[in-house]
Amino acid sequence: ETGLSQQMLSNVNKKSVSNYSVRTIQAIAKTVQKNEGKVLNELLKLENENTPFKALFLLVENLKQK
């Protein structure tokens, strides 16, 4: 289990990264098997580069490729 529910995914995409909870960052990190700091940095980078913002999905795809 990753801790990332469908509801959490839906809610995350409605917020900016600065409003993500620690629990959300931890769940994302566990899902992509990266540390929380790397996940947060990647999310912030993606948020700044992409409009409209869909950072979670982009992060998962980017980290899978690395």
Side-chain angles (χ1 to χ4, degrees):
E1 172 159 321
T2 65
L4 272 176
S5 67
Q6 290 290 4
Q7 182 175 357
M8 184 184 289
L9 289 173
S10 176
N11 290 335
V12 162
N13 277 323
K14 297 174 188 171
K15 299 179 181 180
S16 70
V17 173
S18 62
N19 291 320
Y20 287 11
S21 69
V22 172
R23 182 175 163 244
T24 298
I25 299 293
Q26 290 171 325
I28 295 167
K30 184 177 179 182
T31 300
V32 298
Q33 299 177 345
K34 303 289 180 183
N35 71 52
E36 291 87 351
K38 181 167 180 67
V39 167
L40 183 56
N41 287 338
E42 287 290 324
L43 285 168
L44 290 168
K45 179 181 171 188
L46 290 167
E47 182 177 50
N48 289 327
E49 293 175 354
N50 293 284
T51 306
F53 176 55
K54 297 290 183 186
L56 179 60
F57 299 107
L58 293 170
L59 172 73
V60 171
E61 291 305 311
N62 285 338
L63 289 176
K64 282 181 182 177
Q65 296 171 11
K66 292 182 181 181

